Amino acid sequence: MNQQPNFVLLYVASPAESAAFYARLLGRAPVEASPGFAMFALDNGLKLGLWARQEVAPAVEGAAGHATGELAFAQASNADVDALHSAWRQQGIAIIQPPTAMDFGYTFTAIDPDGHRLRVYAPGGQ
């Protein structure tokens, strides 16, 4: 029995808009796309699904339209964090935290079109 997560689902307002965003971010097209859902298969085995918020069953409760949680992108060094920060800024991705040294490492945070946080970090501030 496999008890390790291998699929992340994000609830989004527009799967098509979010798929276009993540296609640019990840440098690949979704492997599945429909009006209510899109999915990316990543090289490390993780799948990223983008599901139309209004189609989720059971219905999403709570603060509708407010994303929670983060997708994290580990990097090998501070220089790699800075390079990705620069690349994302050039792509027009909204940055909500500039590169910063924190207790767990060196990091910056961006957001996707639905406000999901995208954290890039180098562990331990290498």
Side-chain angles (χ1 to χ4, degrees):
M1 188 169 21
N2 181 5
Q3 296 189 55
Q4 297 180 18
N6 63 356
F7 199 149
V8 174
L9 286 169
L10 299 178
Y11 305 145
V12 300
S14 168
E17 179 183 343
S18 292
F21 174 86
Y22 280 99
R24 286 189 311 274
L25 184 78
L26 301 171
R28 67 182 63 218
V31 296
E32 182 179 331
S34 68
F37 183 78
M39 183 178 71
F40 292 84
L42 306 179
D43 295 339
N44 63 3
L46 183 72
K47 293 178 185 138
L48 173 62
L50 308 167
W51 195 357
R53 183 179 291 115
Q54 67 276 14
E55 294 181 14
V56 174
V60 179
E61 297 178 18
H66 295 348
T68 58
E70 300 180 348
L71 289 179
F73 300 76
Q75 303 298 304
S77 69
N78 290 2
D80 290 340
V81 170
D82 286 335
L84 200 50
H85 175 259
S86 178
W88 285 11
R89 285 191 58 197
Q90 289 175 6
Q91 292 178 36
I93 296 172
I95 307 295
I96 61 170
Q97 178 192 35
T100 305
M102 298 186 73
D103 61 349
F104 59 85
Y106 187 63
T107 187
F108 77 88
T109 308
I111 55 172
D112 76 3
D114 290 279
H116 298 107
R117 290 179 175 212
L118 310 171
R119 181 172 301 278
V120 176
Y121 71 100
Q126 303 168 2

